[in-house]
Amino acid sequence: MEKSAIFSRLKKEVKKTVGKYAPDSRVLEEAAGILHDEVEYYDWVGFYIAEPGEDELVLGPFVGEETEHTRIDYGEGICGQAAETEETFTVQNVDEEENYLSCSPEVKSEIVVPVFDGSEFRGEIDVDSHELAPFDRSDKEFLKSLAEELAPFFRSFS
Ligand code: SME
């Protein structure tokens, strides 16, 4: 199946989850589960929440291997750099990135998309893959649209 068809189906699935009455953390957990289970090369999917006034990210709901990186300073690793610039950061080969925090030796690539509530930076969607260079513009657009959809659910963490 075309990636674009998968992504448009998943957008609808996430929208359904968002429409259900559930605690915010549950919505993010379900969204992470959908992405992790339905996109073959999304091997770790999670949310980092911006700690207000701290220049620090705190790990929120995620699906995949446990990670020691439960708190990340802005500027540190892929996630911290994306927090500093507030821009999507795609790394197609993590071995080529010096400022990288490894969660698992199996991870080969990573994409981090910032989440905004209005103009306020609230955190990030983080996706790790065991494949080299699997991400293209459609992943970026897909994750950006989910970031908009999910932004309100970051509020309860901060
Ligand atoms: N690799 C990330 C750390 C978070 S883990 O991928 C879950 C980084 O370099 O910021």
Side-chain angles (χ1 to χ4, degrees), residues 3-4 6-7 10-11 35 39-42 88-90 92 109-113 125 127-129 131 133-147:
K3 254 167 107 162
S4 60
I6 296 174
F7 289 157
L10 296 184
K11 271 196 227 174
L35 301 196
V39 186
E40 227 186 335
Y41 54 94
Y42 286 11
T88 296
F89 194 176
T90 309
Q92 303 286 18
S109 55
E110 177 163 5
I111 182 167
V112 177
V113 175
I125 304 178
V127 178
D128 289 350
S129 177
E131 287 182 27
F135 305 116
D136 61 24
R137 197 198 297 180
S138 67
D139 293 87
K140 187 171 165 176
E141 279 164 12
F142 169 57
L143 293 170
K144 273 180 139 173
S145 80
L146 292 191

PDB file of all heavy atoms in Angstrom, residues 3-4 6-7 10-11 35 39-42 88-90 92 109-113 125 127-129 131 133-147:
ATOM      1  N   LYS A   3       2.357   4.773   0.835  1.00  0.00           N
ATOM      2  CA  LYS A   3       2.525   5.450   2.122  1.00  0.00           C
ATOM      3  C   LYS A   3       1.437   6.493   2.349  1.00  0.00           C
ATOM      4  O   LYS A   3       0.896   6.627   3.435  1.00  0.00           O
ATOM      5  CB  LYS A   3       3.864   6.185   2.111  1.00  0.00           C
ATOM      6  CG  LYS A   3       4.916   5.511   2.943  1.00  0.00           C
ATOM      7  CD  LYS A   3       6.268   6.098   2.647  1.00  0.00           C
ATOM      8  CE  LYS A   3       6.776   6.954   3.747  1.00  0.00           C
ATOM      9  NZ  LYS A   3       8.207   7.233   3.731  1.00  0.00           N
ATOM     10  N   SER A   4       1.095   7.231   1.289  1.00  0.00           N
ATOM     11  CA  SER A   4       0.113   8.311   1.457  1.00  0.00           C
ATOM     12  C   SER A   4      -1.251   7.746   1.877  1.00  0.00           C
ATOM     13  O   SER A   4      -1.960   8.346   2.682  1.00  0.00           O
ATOM     14  CB  SER A   4      -0.014   9.131   0.184  1.00  0.00           C
ATOM     15  OG  SER A   4      -0.431   8.298  -0.859  1.00  0.00           O
ATOM     16  N   ILE A   6      -1.695   4.946   3.614  1.00  0.00           N
ATOM     17  CA  ILE A   6      -1.552   4.530   5.024  1.00  0.00           C
ATOM     18  C   ILE A   6      -1.684   5.753   5.924  1.00  0.00           C
ATOM     19  O   ILE A   6      -2.429   5.762   6.894  1.00  0.00           O
ATOM     20  CB  ILE A   6      -0.186   3.833   5.260  1.00  0.00           C
ATOM     21  CG1 ILE A   6      -0.119   2.537   4.453  1.00  0.00           C
ATOM     22  CG2 ILE A   6       0.036   3.563   6.743  1.00  0.00           C
ATOM     23  CD1 ILE A   6       1.213   1.834   4.491  1.00  0.00           C
ATOM     24  N   PHE A   7      -0.956   6.812   5.559  1.00  0.00           N
ATOM     25  CA  PHE A   7      -0.971   8.004   6.413  1.00  0.00           C
ATOM     26  C   PHE A   7      -2.371   8.619   6.482  1.00  0.00           C
ATOM     27  O   PHE A   7      -2.790   9.061   7.542  1.00  0.00           O
ATOM     28  CB  PHE A   7       0.055   9.035   5.928  1.00  0.00           C
ATOM     29  CG  PHE A   7       1.486   8.628   6.181  1.00  0.00           C
ATOM     30  CD1 PHE A   7       2.528   9.166   5.424  1.00  0.00           C
ATOM     31  CD2 PHE A   7       1.800   7.717   7.182  1.00  0.00           C
ATOM     32  CE1 PHE A   7       3.848   8.796   5.665  1.00  0.00           C
ATOM     33  CE2 PHE A   7       3.119   7.336   7.424  1.00  0.00           C
ATOM     34  CZ  PHE A   7       4.143   7.874   6.658  1.00  0.00           C
ATOM     35  N   LEU A  10      -4.401   6.550   8.839  1.00  0.00           N
ATOM     36  CA  LEU A  10      -3.987   6.717  10.237  1.00  0.00           C
ATOM     37  C   LEU A  10      -4.402   8.069  10.804  1.00  0.00           C
ATOM     38  O   LEU A  10      -4.718   8.187  11.977  1.00  0.00           O
ATOM     39  CB  LEU A  10      -2.477   6.516  10.373  1.00  0.00           C
ATOM     40  CG  LEU A  10      -1.996   5.111  10.023  1.00  0.00           C
ATOM     41  CD1 LEU A  10      -0.509   4.979  10.287  1.00  0.00           C
ATOM     42  CD2 LEU A  10      -2.754   4.050  10.794  1.00  0.00           C
ATOM     43  N   LYS A  11      -4.416   9.091   9.933  1.00  0.00           N
ATOM     44  CA  LYS A  11      -4.878  10.404  10.402  1.00  0.00           C
ATOM     45  C   LYS A  11      -6.308  10.276  10.909  1.00  0.00           C
ATOM     46  O   LYS A  11      -6.666  10.830  11.934  1.00  0.00           O
ATOM     47  CB  LYS A  11      -4.840  11.421   9.253  1.00  0.00           C
ATOM     48  CG  LYS A  11      -3.527  12.143   9.135  1.00  0.00           C
ATOM     49  CD  LYS A  11      -3.725  13.362   8.254  1.00  0.00           C
ATOM     50  CE  LYS A  11      -2.634  13.452   7.227  1.00  0.00           C
ATOM     51  NZ  LYS A  11      -2.810  14.503   6.252  1.00  0.00           N
ATOM     52  N   LEU A  35       0.571   4.581  15.645  1.00  0.00           N
ATOM     53  CA  LEU A  35       1.719   4.821  14.740  1.00  0.00           C
ATOM     54  C   LEU A  35       2.719   3.660  14.804  1.00  0.00           C
ATOM     55  O   LEU A  35       3.199   3.176  13.776  1.00  0.00           O
ATOM     56  CB  LEU A  35       2.448   6.116  15.099  1.00  0.00           C
ATOM     57  CG  LEU A  35       1.669   7.430  15.073  1.00  0.00           C
ATOM     58  CD1 LEU A  35       2.627   8.601  15.075  1.00  0.00           C
ATOM     59  CD2 LEU A  35       0.796   7.521  13.852  1.00  0.00           C
ATOM     60  N   VAL A  39       2.777   1.564  11.192  1.00  0.00           N
ATOM     61  CA  VAL A  39       3.823   1.954  10.228  1.00  0.00           C
ATOM     62  C   VAL A  39       5.029   1.050  10.523  1.00  0.00           C
ATOM     63  O   VAL A  39       5.598   1.102  11.613  1.00  0.00           O
ATOM     64  CB  VAL A  39       4.216   3.456  10.343  1.00  0.00           C
ATOM     65  CG1 VAL A  39       5.180   3.833   9.230  1.00  0.00           C
ATOM     66  CG2 VAL A  39       2.982   4.352  10.309  1.00  0.00           C
ATOM     67  N   GLU A  40       5.337   0.232   9.537  1.00  0.00           N
ATOM     68  CA  GLU A  40       6.327  -0.829   9.723  1.00  0.00           C
ATOM     69  C   GLU A  40       7.663  -0.333  10.276  1.00  0.00           C
ATOM     70  O   GLU A  40       8.272  -0.987  11.114  1.00  0.00           O
ATOM     71  CB  GLU A  40       6.563  -1.455   8.357  1.00  0.00           C
ATOM     72  CG  GLU A  40       6.547  -2.947   8.378  1.00  0.00           C
ATOM     73  CD  GLU A  40       6.936  -3.496   7.025  1.00  0.00           C
ATOM     74  OE1 GLU A  40       6.757  -2.800   6.001  1.00  0.00           O
ATOM     75  OE2 GLU A  40       7.441  -4.627   7.015  1.00  0.00           O
ATOM     76  N   TYR A  41       8.092   0.817   9.773  1.00  0.00           N
ATOM     77  CA  TYR A  41       9.431   1.286  10.148  1.00  0.00           C
ATOM     78  C   TYR A  41       9.411   2.295  11.291  1.00  0.00           C
ATOM     79  O   TYR A  41      10.433   2.921  11.582  1.00  0.00           O
ATOM     80  CB  TYR A  41      10.158   1.853   8.915  1.00  0.00           C
ATOM     81  CG  TYR A  41       9.377   2.930   8.198  1.00  0.00           C
ATOM     82  CD1 TYR A  41       9.579   4.271   8.484  1.00  0.00           C
ATOM     83  CD2 TYR A  41       8.431   2.589   7.237  1.00  0.00           C
ATOM     84  CE1 TYR A  41       8.847   5.260   7.851  1.00  0.00           C
ATOM     85  CE2 TYR A  41       7.686   3.565   6.594  1.00  0.00           C
ATOM     86  CZ  TYR A  41       7.901   4.890   6.905  1.00  0.00           C
ATOM     87  OH  TYR A  41       7.169   5.868   6.278  1.00  0.00           O
ATOM     88  N   TYR A  42       8.268   2.490  11.969  1.00  0.00           N
ATOM     89  CA  TYR A  42       8.211   3.326  13.183  1.00  0.00           C
ATOM     90  C   TYR A  42       8.405   2.384  14.378  1.00  0.00           C
ATOM     91  O   TYR A  42       7.471   1.767  14.856  1.00  0.00           O
ATOM     92  CB  TYR A  42       6.870   4.069  13.305  1.00  0.00           C
ATOM     93  CG  TYR A  42       6.652   5.249  12.382  1.00  0.00           C
ATOM     94  CD1 TYR A  42       7.505   5.516  11.304  1.00  0.00           C
ATOM     95  CD2 TYR A  42       5.583   6.122  12.578  1.00  0.00           C
ATOM     96  CE1 TYR A  42       7.282   6.596  10.468  1.00  0.00           C
ATOM     97  CE2 TYR A  42       5.370   7.212  11.746  1.00  0.00           C
ATOM     98  CZ  TYR A  42       6.216   7.438  10.690  1.00  0.00           C
ATOM     99  OH  TYR A  42       5.988   8.513   9.867  1.00  0.00           O
ATOM    100  N   THR A  88      11.397  20.864  12.698  1.00  0.00           N
ATOM    101  CA  THR A  88      11.495  19.411  12.514  1.00  0.00           C
ATOM    102  C   THR A  88      12.945  19.040  12.231  1.00  0.00           C
ATOM    103  O   THR A  88      13.628  19.723  11.474  1.00  0.00           O
ATOM    104  CB  THR A  88      10.601  18.963  11.335  1.00  0.00           C
ATOM    105  OG1 THR A  88       9.252  19.238  11.684  1.00  0.00           O
ATOM    106  CG2 THR A  88      10.743  17.480  11.038  1.00  0.00           C
ATOM    107  N   PHE A  89      13.411  17.956  12.862  1.00  0.00           N
ATOM    108  CA  PHE A  89      14.789  17.515  12.667  1.00  0.00           C
ATOM    109  C   PHE A  89      14.742  16.045  12.211  1.00  0.00           C
ATOM    110  O   PHE A  89      14.275  15.177  12.944  1.00  0.00           O
ATOM    111  CB  PHE A  89      15.545  17.650  13.985  1.00  0.00           C
ATOM    112  CG  PHE A  89      17.052  17.541  13.868  1.00  0.00           C
ATOM    113  CD1 PHE A  89      17.856  17.732  14.988  1.00  0.00           C
ATOM    114  CD2 PHE A  89      17.674  17.247  12.663  1.00  0.00           C
ATOM    115  CE1 PHE A  89      19.243  17.639  14.909  1.00  0.00           C
ATOM    116  CE2 PHE A  89      19.065  17.148  12.570  1.00  0.00           C
ATOM    117  CZ  PHE A  89      19.834  17.348  13.709  1.00  0.00           C
ATOM    118  N   THR A  90      15.204  15.803  10.994  1.00  0.00           N
ATOM    119  CA  THR A  90      15.239  14.442  10.460  1.00  0.00           C
ATOM    120  C   THR A  90      16.689  13.998  10.369  1.00  0.00           C
ATOM    121  O   THR A  90      17.515  14.696   9.773  1.00  0.00           O
ATOM    122  CB  THR A  90      14.617  14.391   9.044  1.00  0.00           C
ATOM    123  OG1 THR A  90      13.343  15.031   9.084  1.00  0.00           O
ATOM    124  CG2 THR A  90      14.427  12.957   8.577  1.00  0.00           C
ATOM    125  N   GLN A  92      18.688  10.809   8.971  1.00  0.00           N
ATOM    126  CA  GLN A  92      18.505   9.564   8.212  1.00  0.00           C
ATOM    127  C   GLN A  92      19.499   8.475   8.628  1.00  0.00           C
ATOM    128  O   GLN A  92      19.272   7.301   8.394  1.00  0.00           O
ATOM    129  CB  GLN A  92      18.626   9.833   6.704  1.00  0.00           C
ATOM    130  CG  GLN A  92      17.651  10.877   6.177  1.00  0.00           C
ATOM    131  CD  GLN A  92      16.205  10.368   6.067  1.00  0.00           C
ATOM    132  OE1 GLN A  92      15.825   9.360   6.663  1.00  0.00           O
ATOM    133  NE2 GLN A  92      15.389  11.089   5.313  1.00  0.00           N
ATOM    134  N   SER A 109      17.762   5.642  12.488  1.00  0.00           N
ATOM    135  CA  SER A 109      17.313   6.954  12.023  1.00  0.00           C
ATOM    136  C   SER A 109      16.231   7.481  12.957  1.00  0.00           C
ATOM    137  O   SER A 109      15.640   6.714  13.728  1.00  0.00           O
ATOM    138  CB  SER A 109      16.801   6.856  10.589  1.00  0.00           C
ATOM    139  OG  SER A 109      15.792   5.876  10.517  1.00  0.00           O
ATOM    140  N   GLU A 110      15.994   8.790  12.852  1.00  0.00           N
ATOM    141  CA  GLU A 110      15.063   9.425  13.794  1.00  0.00           C
ATOM    142  C   GLU A 110      14.465  10.676  13.179  1.00  0.00           C
ATOM    143  O   GLU A 110      15.138  11.396  12.438  1.00  0.00           O
ATOM    144  CB  GLU A 110      15.839   9.782  15.070  1.00  0.00           C
ATOM    145  CG  GLU A 110      15.028  10.513  16.128  1.00  0.00           C
ATOM    146  CD  GLU A 110      15.691  10.478  17.516  1.00  0.00           C
ATOM    147  OE1 GLU A 110      16.836   9.964  17.627  1.00  0.00           O
ATOM    148  OE2 GLU A 110      15.068  10.966  18.461  1.00  0.00           O
ATOM    149  N   ILE A 111      13.182  10.924  13.497  1.00  0.00           N
ATOM    150  CA  ILE A 111      12.569  12.205  13.105  1.00  0.00           C
ATOM    151  C   ILE A 111      11.863  12.784  14.323  1.00  0.00           C
ATOM    152  O   ILE A 111      11.180  12.058  15.058  1.00  0.00           O
ATOM    153  CB  ILE A 111      11.614  12.035  11.888  1.00  0.00           C
ATOM    154  CG1 ILE A 111      11.021  13.384  11.470  1.00  0.00           C
ATOM    155  CG2 ILE A 111      10.502  11.034  12.142  1.00  0.00           C
ATOM    156  CD1 ILE A 111      10.317  13.363  10.100  1.00  0.00           C
ATOM    157  N   VAL A 112      12.078  14.074  14.538  1.00  0.00           N
ATOM    158  CA  VAL A 112      11.476  14.764  15.678  1.00  0.00           C
ATOM    159  C   VAL A 112      10.705  15.974  15.157  1.00  0.00           C
ATOM    160  O   VAL A 112      11.262  16.808  14.435  1.00  0.00           O
ATOM    161  CB  VAL A 112      12.560  15.218  16.691  1.00  0.00           C
ATOM    162  CG1 VAL A 112      11.922  15.989  17.838  1.00  0.00           C
ATOM    163  CG2 VAL A 112      13.322  14.018  17.233  1.00  0.00           C
ATOM    164  N   VAL A 113       9.423  16.029  15.509  1.00  0.00           N
ATOM    165  CA  VAL A 113       8.555  17.109  15.020  1.00  0.00           C
ATOM    166  C   VAL A 113       8.039  17.918  16.211  1.00  0.00           C
ATOM    167  O   VAL A 113       7.449  17.340  17.136  1.00  0.00           O
ATOM    168  CB  VAL A 113       7.362  16.494  14.231  1.00  0.00           C
ATOM    169  CG1 VAL A 113       6.374  17.562  13.809  1.00  0.00           C
ATOM    170  CG2 VAL A 113       7.871  15.729  13.028  1.00  0.00           C
ATOM    171  N   ILE A 125       6.871  15.181  18.919  1.00  0.00           N
ATOM    172  CA  ILE A 125       6.656  13.774  18.562  1.00  0.00           C
ATOM    173  C   ILE A 125       8.025  13.247  18.140  1.00  0.00           C
ATOM    174  O   ILE A 125       8.711  13.886  17.334  1.00  0.00           O
ATOM    175  CB  ILE A 125       5.684  13.608  17.371  1.00  0.00           C
ATOM    176  CG1 ILE A 125       4.345  14.286  17.654  1.00  0.00           C
ATOM    177  CG2 ILE A 125       5.492  12.127  17.045  1.00  0.00           C
ATOM    178  CD1 ILE A 125       3.351  14.199  16.488  1.00  0.00           C
ATOM    179  N   VAL A 127      10.063   9.866  16.622  1.00  0.00           N
ATOM    180  CA  VAL A 127       9.956   8.533  16.005  1.00  0.00           C
ATOM    181  C   VAL A 127      11.361   8.018  15.698  1.00  0.00           C
ATOM    182  O   VAL A 127      12.153   8.708  15.044  1.00  0.00           O
ATOM    183  CB  VAL A 127       9.129   8.573  14.700  1.00  0.00           C
ATOM    184  CG1 VAL A 127       9.076   7.197  14.055  1.00  0.00           C
ATOM    185  CG2 VAL A 127       7.704   9.085  14.957  1.00  0.00           C
ATOM    186  N   ASP A 128      11.663   6.815  16.184  1.00  0.00           N
ATOM    187  CA  ASP A 128      12.934   6.143  15.870  1.00  0.00           C
ATOM    188  C   ASP A 128      12.646   4.984  14.922  1.00  0.00           C
ATOM    189  O   ASP A 128      11.619   4.312  15.050  1.00  0.00           O
ATOM    190  CB  ASP A 128      13.551   5.526  17.129  1.00  0.00           C
ATOM    191  CG  ASP A 128      14.102   6.556  18.090  1.00  0.00           C
ATOM    192  OD1 ASP A 128      14.185   7.735  17.719  1.00  0.00           O
ATOM    193  OD2 ASP A 128      14.433   6.157  19.220  1.00  0.00           O
ATOM    194  N   SER A 129      13.577   4.735  14.012  1.00  0.00           N
ATOM    195  CA  SER A 129      13.417   3.610  13.092  1.00  0.00           C
ATOM    196  C   SER A 129      14.664   2.728  13.096  1.00  0.00           C
ATOM    197  O   SER A 129      15.778   3.228  13.260  1.00  0.00           O
ATOM    198  CB  SER A 129      13.165   4.137  11.679  1.00  0.00           C
ATOM    199  OG  SER A 129      13.072   3.047  10.786  1.00  0.00           O
ATOM    200  N   GLU A 131      15.432   1.246  10.424  1.00  0.00           N
ATOM    201  CA  GLU A 131      15.862   1.301   9.021  1.00  0.00           C
ATOM    202  C   GLU A 131      16.688   2.558   8.781  1.00  0.00           C
ATOM    203  O   GLU A 131      16.472   3.578   9.426  1.00  0.00           O
ATOM    204  CB  GLU A 131      14.631   1.346   8.091  1.00  0.00           C
ATOM    205  CG  GLU A 131      13.926   0.025   8.010  1.00  0.00           C
ATOM    206  CD  GLU A 131      12.736   0.064   7.046  1.00  0.00           C
ATOM    207  OE1 GLU A 131      12.730   0.868   6.104  1.00  0.00           O
ATOM    208  OE2 GLU A 131      11.821  -0.732   7.274  1.00  0.00           O
ATOM    209  N   ALA A 133      17.495   5.770   6.619  1.00  0.00           N
ATOM    210  CA  ALA A 133      16.862   6.708   5.680  1.00  0.00           C
ATOM    211  C   ALA A 133      15.440   6.320   5.229  1.00  0.00           C
ATOM    212  O   ALA A 133      15.172   6.270   4.035  1.00  0.00           O
ATOM    213  CB  ALA A 133      17.776   6.880   4.458  1.00  0.00           C
ATOM    214  N   PRO A 134      14.543   6.053   6.165  1.00  0.00           N
ATOM    215  CA  PRO A 134      13.190   5.666   5.745  1.00  0.00           C
ATOM    216  C   PRO A 134      12.251   6.863   5.600  1.00  0.00           C
ATOM    217  O   PRO A 134      11.153   6.724   5.067  1.00  0.00           O
ATOM    218  CB  PRO A 134      12.717   4.805   6.917  1.00  0.00           C
ATOM    219  CG  PRO A 134      13.369   5.441   8.105  1.00  0.00           C
ATOM    220  CD  PRO A 134      14.680   6.002   7.629  1.00  0.00           C
ATOM    221  N   PHE A 135      12.677   8.036   6.090  1.00  0.00           N
ATOM    222  CA  PHE A 135      11.748   9.166   6.177  1.00  0.00           C
ATOM    223  C   PHE A 135      11.826  10.049   4.934  1.00  0.00           C
ATOM    224  O   PHE A 135      12.913  10.342   4.439  1.00  0.00           O
ATOM    225  CB  PHE A 135      12.070  10.030   7.409  1.00  0.00           C
ATOM    226  CG  PHE A 135      12.082   9.259   8.697  1.00  0.00           C
ATOM    227  CD1 PHE A 135      13.251   9.131   9.443  1.00  0.00           C
ATOM    228  CD2 PHE A 135      10.920   8.643   9.176  1.00  0.00           C
ATOM    229  CE1 PHE A 135      13.270   8.417  10.636  1.00  0.00           C
ATOM    230  CE2 PHE A 135      10.930   7.925  10.369  1.00  0.00           C
ATOM    231  CZ  PHE A 135      12.109   7.812  11.100  1.00  0.00           C
ATOM    232  N   ASP A 136      10.641  10.453   4.439  1.00  0.00           N
ATOM    233  CA  ASP A 136      10.626  11.427   3.345  1.00  0.00           C
ATOM    234  C   ASP A 136       9.642  12.528   3.698  1.00  0.00           C
ATOM    235  O   ASP A 136       9.155  12.595   4.829  1.00  0.00           O
ATOM    236  CB  ASP A 136      10.290  10.753   2.003  1.00  0.00           C
ATOM    237  CG  ASP A 136       8.918  10.090   2.014  1.00  0.00           C
ATOM    238  OD1 ASP A 136       8.061  10.496   2.824  1.00  0.00           O
ATOM    239  OD2 ASP A 136       8.705   9.166   1.215  1.00  0.00           O
ATOM    240  N   ARG A 137       9.349  13.361   2.711  1.00  0.00           N
ATOM    241  CA  ARG A 137       8.502  14.510   2.991  1.00  0.00           C
ATOM    242  C   ARG A 137       7.112  14.105   3.505  1.00  0.00           C
ATOM    243  O   ARG A 137       6.507  14.797   4.312  1.00  0.00           O
ATOM    244  CB  ARG A 137       8.361  15.350   1.716  1.00  0.00           C
ATOM    245  CG  ARG A 137       7.853  16.738   2.070  1.00  0.00           C
ATOM    246  CD  ARG A 137       7.293  17.441   0.894  1.00  0.00           C
ATOM    247  NE  ARG A 137       8.332  17.646  -0.119  1.00  0.00           N
ATOM    248  CZ  ARG A 137       8.094  18.243  -1.265  1.00  0.00           C
ATOM    249  NH1 ARG A 137       6.896  18.690  -1.542  1.00  0.00           N
ATOM    250  NH2 ARG A 137       9.055  18.401  -2.147  1.00  0.00           N
ATOM    251  N   SER A 138       6.645  12.935   3.060  1.00  0.00           N
ATOM    252  CA  SER A 138       5.299  12.523   3.494  1.00  0.00           C
ATOM    253  C   SER A 138       5.260  12.188   4.986  1.00  0.00           C
ATOM    254  O   SER A 138       4.262  12.433   5.651  1.00  0.00           O
ATOM    255  CB  SER A 138       4.777  11.361   2.642  1.00  0.00           C
ATOM    256  OG  SER A 138       5.522  10.202   2.867  1.00  0.00           O
ATOM    257  N   ASP A 139       6.367  11.652   5.515  1.00  0.00           N
ATOM    258  CA  ASP A 139       6.413  11.399   6.971  1.00  0.00           C
ATOM    259  C   ASP A 139       6.351  12.726   7.721  1.00  0.00           C
ATOM    260  O   ASP A 139       5.642  12.865   8.710  1.00  0.00           O
ATOM    261  CB  ASP A 139       7.725  10.696   7.351  1.00  0.00           C
ATOM    262  CG  ASP A 139       7.810   9.301   6.782  1.00  0.00           C
ATOM    263  OD1 ASP A 139       8.269   9.162   5.633  1.00  0.00           O
ATOM    264  OD2 ASP A 139       7.397   8.359   7.454  1.00  0.00           O
ATOM    265  N   LYS A 140       7.118  13.680   7.215  1.00  0.00           N
ATOM    266  CA  LYS A 140       7.197  14.975   7.875  1.00  0.00           C
ATOM    267  C   LYS A 140       5.818  15.647   7.880  1.00  0.00           C
ATOM    268  O   LYS A 140       5.346  16.118   8.912  1.00  0.00           O
ATOM    269  CB  LYS A 140       8.222  15.838   7.127  1.00  0.00           C
ATOM    270  CG  LYS A 140       8.538  17.138   7.781  1.00  0.00           C
ATOM    271  CD  LYS A 140       9.717  17.798   7.082  1.00  0.00           C
ATOM    272  CE  LYS A 140       9.816  19.252   7.472  1.00  0.00           C
ATOM    273  NZ  LYS A 140      10.988  19.918   6.895  1.00  0.00           N
ATOM    274  N   GLU A 141       5.153  15.612   6.729  1.00  0.00           N
ATOM    275  CA  GLU A 141       3.830  16.251   6.639  1.00  0.00           C
ATOM    276  C   GLU A 141       2.802  15.523   7.503  1.00  0.00           C
ATOM    277  O   GLU A 141       1.991  16.149   8.182  1.00  0.00           O
ATOM    278  CB  GLU A 141       3.370  16.322   5.184  1.00  0.00           C
ATOM    279  CG  GLU A 141       4.014  17.509   4.511  1.00  0.00           C
ATOM    280  CD  GLU A 141       3.931  17.456   2.995  1.00  0.00           C
ATOM    281  OE1 GLU A 141       3.181  16.617   2.457  1.00  0.00           O
ATOM    282  OE2 GLU A 141       4.643  18.263   2.368  1.00  0.00           O
ATOM    283  N   PHE A 142       2.863  14.208   7.475  1.00  0.00           N
ATOM    284  CA  PHE A 142       1.956  13.383   8.281  1.00  0.00           C
ATOM    285  C   PHE A 142       2.139  13.709   9.777  1.00  0.00           C
ATOM    286  O   PHE A 142       1.178  14.009  10.489  1.00  0.00           O
ATOM    287  CB  PHE A 142       2.263  11.912   8.005  1.00  0.00           C
ATOM    288  CG  PHE A 142       1.617  10.927   8.935  1.00  0.00           C
ATOM    289  CD1 PHE A 142       0.234  10.899   9.096  1.00  0.00           C
ATOM    290  CD2 PHE A 142       2.391  10.000   9.638  1.00  0.00           C
ATOM    291  CE1 PHE A 142      -0.363   9.975   9.953  1.00  0.00           C
ATOM    292  CE2 PHE A 142       1.805   9.078  10.481  1.00  0.00           C
ATOM    293  CZ  PHE A 142       0.425   9.063  10.643  1.00  0.00           C
ATOM    294  N   LEU A 143       3.379  13.695  10.232  1.00  0.00           N
ATOM    295  CA  LEU A 143       3.632  13.917  11.660  1.00  0.00           C
ATOM    296  C   LEU A 143       3.310  15.353  12.067  1.00  0.00           C
ATOM    297  O   LEU A 143       2.844  15.600  13.177  1.00  0.00           O
ATOM    298  CB  LEU A 143       5.085  13.547  12.003  1.00  0.00           C
ATOM    299  CG  LEU A 143       5.390  12.044  11.860  1.00  0.00           C
ATOM    300  CD1 LEU A 143       6.881  11.781  11.970  1.00  0.00           C
ATOM    301  CD2 LEU A 143       4.637  11.224  12.915  1.00  0.00           C
ATOM    302  N   LYS A 144       3.526  16.290  11.135  1.00  0.00           N
ATOM    303  CA  LYS A 144       3.170  17.683  11.444  1.00  0.00           C
ATOM    304  C   LYS A 144       1.671  17.826  11.623  1.00  0.00           C
ATOM    305  O   LYS A 144       1.204  18.546  12.501  1.00  0.00           O
ATOM    306  CB  LYS A 144       3.628  18.609  10.314  1.00  0.00           C
ATOM    307  CG  LYS A 144       5.058  19.083  10.487  1.00  0.00           C
ATOM    308  CD  LYS A 144       5.436  19.973   9.344  1.00  0.00           C
ATOM    309  CE  LYS A 144       6.234  21.154   9.808  1.00  0.00           C
ATOM    310  NZ  LYS A 144       6.759  21.939   8.702  1.00  0.00           N
ATOM    311  N   SER A 145       0.896  17.135  10.793  1.00  0.00           N
ATOM    312  CA  SER A 145      -0.557  17.263  10.937  1.00  0.00           C
ATOM    313  C   SER A 145      -1.012  16.598  12.237  1.00  0.00           C
ATOM    314  O   SER A 145      -1.914  17.084  12.905  1.00  0.00           O
ATOM    315  CB  SER A 145      -1.295  16.729   9.703  1.00  0.00           C
ATOM    316  OG  SER A 145      -1.368  15.343   9.754  1.00  0.00           O
ATOM    317  N   LEU A 146      -0.351  15.506  12.628  1.00  0.00           N
ATOM    318  CA  LEU A 146      -0.702  14.889  13.915  1.00  0.00           C
ATOM    319  C   LEU A 146      -0.300  15.789  15.073  1.00  0.00           C
ATOM    320  O   LEU A 146      -0.999  15.853  16.090  1.00  0.00           O
ATOM    321  CB  LEU A 146      -0.016  13.532  14.074  1.00  0.00           C
ATOM    322  CG  LEU A 146      -0.463  12.416  13.154  1.00  0.00           C
ATOM    323  CD1 LEU A 146       0.122  11.100  13.613  1.00  0.00           C
ATOM    324  CD2 LEU A 146      -1.978  12.297  13.114  1.00  0.00           C
ATOM    325  N   ALA A 147       0.807  16.491  14.906  1.00  0.00           N
ATOM    326  CA  ALA A 147       1.254  17.405  15.970  1.00  0.00           C
ATOM    327  C   ALA A 147       0.171  18.453  16.229  1.00  0.00           C
ATOM    328  O   ALA A 147      -0.132  18.776  17.382  1.00  0.00           O
ATOM    329  CB  ALA A 147       2.572  18.071  15.573  1.00  0.00           C
TER     330      ALA A 147
END
